[in-house]
Amino acid sequence: MSVDASVERRTEPENRNGDGNGVVAPSSTHRLRLNPNTDHEPDNYEDLQLEFSPLLFSSLEQYLPPFMLNARRDVKVQYMRDILLRYSNEAERNRVQKQREYRQKIMSRYQPLHRELYAMNAEKFFVPSFLEAIKNNTEEGFRSIISESSPGVYTFEMLQPCFCEMLMTEVENFEKWVYDTKFRIMRPNTMNKYGVVLDDFGLETMLDKLMDSFIRPISRVFFPDFGGSTLDSHHGFVVEYGMDRDLDLGFHVDDSEVTLNVCLGQQFSGGELFFRGIRCDKHVNTEARAEEILDYYHVPGHAVLHCGRHRHGARATTSGHRMNLLLWCRSAVFRELKKYQKDFSSWCAVCQHEKKERQRVAVATTKLELLKRDGNPAP
């Protein structure tokens, strides 16, 4: 597909299984702070049965008004739940309920092949250099293992070969179960016809831990303008490319704030990722600049990290079979604040150029007026 074609938005497919339940209308007096209480250590909500992700509550807690920060956990839950219900319409709540029922149905029937995958085991999953950088948790430590291949595209070695192999065989085992039982599953997104959603068959908790403890610390440093410090939910999946799978992937942006893309294997040729710069919605179909053009060649175990607004695609896999792990990391706080944002010049190259041009014109106009006022002829 030509990279000059219109950019698509790759999103999750709508889940239409099951029924939803009604909820009580929240109080309109509950509010969050505009800026987070960065010194506050939020509670852990993973042991509670909640309509929303436990990580979302932990993330939102830093935005609570001061009088709520030291309240009992159940009081904070109710306060934040009221806010979430106010901004989450009934259709969205029904979608979440249907998704929960769909996943419970799968997990009650599917027998995992590698149970050790379903709980985070960092020493077995990640290479030592990545673990050391996460442990140190400093910008200097992250930059020591990460290369910025192009503005906003970060690459680094991440996964051990044994983890890649286990995850690929687990996916194959799940796909065999789907085929044998004729169970109808949801595909990862609106653009990939092959692949599976890892969250759907039990890996959600492990991937939550991956985002919260390993990706969010890095995103806090490299993606501050995209909610990198407030990532609170994810969509985790594996995509498959080959002559009998998806062949390529068109030019698009992701439904994420930050995207992690790791090649798992296997033997393949082709399939390069191509990047063409970060754009806001208004300028998503504008031309790329020379410094924004990058073709990235996959290496098993190596990760690519970029913001969801970074336009990209995948070239055709010309032989073999390739699997990649994708983690779309999202921030509810960032998405809410973005509704009121009008200036994207901090990250959209076209907005930045337009802002500089407006400033140049304003300076030139002011200079001309001053010259006229002083009786000097215009240059």
Side-chain angles (χ1 to χ4, degrees):
M1 178 178 179
S2 169
V3 299
D4 295 325
S6 295
V7 180
E8 294 189 55
R9 183 172 180 82
R10 187 163 57 148
T11 62
E12 289 182 64
E14 182 180 354
N15 192 325
R16 298 182 181 275
N17 298 309
D19 297 314
N21 298 315
V23 294
V24 178
S27 167
S28 61
T29 60
H30 293 176
R31 295 286 187 273
L32 296 175
R33 287 165 52 97
L34 182 61
N35 298 310
N37 303 280
T38 54
D39 295 331
H40 176 71
E41 186 67 28
D43 277 324
N44 187 305
Y45 298 91
E46 292 183 0
D47 59 317
L48 301 179
Q49 294 294 320
L50 302 165
E51 302 103 312
F52 306 93
S53 165
L55 286 176
L56 178 54
F57 283 88
S58 295
S59 178
L60 280 182
E61 185 175 328
Q62 291 192 312
Y63 290 82
L64 289 176
F67 71 88
M68 284 296 301
L69 291 177
N70 296 317
R72 296 195 321 269
R73 189 176 69 158
D74 62 313
V75 174
K76 288 186 287 190
V77 165
Q78 187 59 46
Y79 189 95
M80 291 185 285
R81 180 177 176 273
D82 285 350
I83 293 174
L84 289 169
L85 290 175
R86 190 192 322 151
Y87 288 102
S88 173
N89 59 40
E90 185 175 359
E92 174 61 17
R93 293 193 295 271
N94 287 343
R95 186 195 69 81
V96 171
Q97 177 63 23
K98 293 172 188 176
Q99 183 182 66
R100 184 181 294 114
E101 293 171 356
Y102 165 75
R103 289 178 176 176
Q104 288 173 345
K105 185 181 294 185
I106 291 176
M107 289 186 286
S108 68
R109 302 177 184 182
Y110 173 66
Q111 294 299 315
L113 179 65
H114 300 295
R115 292 193 178 275
E116 58 268 42
L117 278 176
Y118 291 73
M120 176 57 68
N121 190 332
E123 286 70 25
K124 289 188 177 181
F125 291 0
F126 305 120
V127 297
S129 58
F130 178 75
L131 280 178
E132 184 67 20
I134 294 296
K135 178 182 177 182
N136 293 334
N137 195 22
T138 64
E139 181 174 349
E140 181 182 7
F142 293 142
R143 292 193 181 278
S144 71
I145 66 164
I146 293 175
S147 299
E148 189 170 9
S149 304
S150 178
V153 181
Y154 302 94
T155 60
F156 51 96
E157 187 179 8
M158 181 181 181
L159 298 178
Q160 292 199 30
C162 60
F163 173 85
C164 295
E165 182 62 29
M166 272 200 302
L167 185 54
M168 286 191 293
T169 54
E170 186 70 46
V171 168
E172 290 168 353
N173 186 65
F174 178 69
E175 289 179 324
K176 183 178 183 301
W177 174 82
V178 169
Y179 178 81
D180 291 343
T181 61
K182 295 180 173 55
F183 192 95
R184 186 176 179 180
I185 62 170
M186 303 294 294
R187 293 302 175 183
N189 54 70
T190 53
M191 293 180 71
N192 286 98
K193 296 179 181 179
Y194 294 88
V196 298
V197 179
L198 300 175
D199 302 311
D200 287 349
F201 59 95
L203 286 163
E204 182 178 16
T205 300
M206 187 275 283
L207 293 176
D208 258 341
K209 184 70 173 177
L210 170 60
M211 181 193 71
D212 190 42
S213 300
F214 299 91
I215 302 306
R216 188 160 63 178
I218 299 175
S219 299
R220 183 181 293 118
V221 172
F222 294 107
F223 301 105
D225 292 332
F226 298 94
S229 62
T230 58
L231 301 177
D232 50 41
S233 65
H234 76 266
H235 176 51
F237 55 97
V238 162
V239 290
E240 299 180 71
Y241 293 92
M243 301 305 291
D244 59 344
R245 295 289 190 271
D246 286 316
L247 191 62
D248 56 15
L249 190 65
F251 201 32
H252 67 279
V253 293
D254 294 337
D255 183 15
S256 70
E257 272 60 77
V258 176
T259 292
L260 172 73
N261 186 342
V262 194
C263 180
L264 301 174
Q266 303 160 335
Q267 297 296 320
F268 63 91
S269 58
E272 304 86 11
L273 286 177
F274 58 88
F275 290 90
R276 296 297 184 265
I278 305 169
R279 296 290 188 273
C280 66
D281 288 335
K282 179 182 177 182
H283 300 120
V284 71
N285 288 311
T286 55
E287 291 291 326
R289 303 182 177 204
E291 65 272 16
E292 296 175 320
I293 296 175
L294 170 70
D295 278 21
Y296 172 80
Y297 295 83
H298 292 285
V299 178
H302 286 236
V304 182
L305 197 68
H306 61 86
C307 74
R309 295 299 313 178
H310 209 130
R311 304 175 301 171
H312 61 287
R315 301 195 189 283
T317 298
T318 54
S319 67
H321 182 205
R322 174 170 66 87
M323 277 195 192
N324 279 55
L325 164 65
L326 276 295
L327 194 70
W328 284 356
C329 305
R330 296 160 173 166
S331 166
V333 172
F334 175 80
R335 293 187 176 206
E336 181 60 28
L337 294 176
K338 188 183 175 186
K339 294 177 183 178
Y340 308 99
Q341 186 179 358
K342 296 181 180 180
D343 181 12
F344 304 102
S345 59
S346 64
W347 50 268
C348 174
V350 179
C351 285
Q352 188 177 75
H353 174 75
E354 290 178 348
K355 183 177 182 178
K356 288 181 178 179
E357 182 61 19
R358 288 194 300 270
Q359 291 172 339
R360 185 194 66 77
V361 171
V363 169
T365 301
T366 302
K367 182 178 179 182
L368 183 60
E369 290 177 352
L370 290 173
L371 287 172
K372 287 180 179 179
R373 185 182 305 170
D374 294 339
N376 297 320

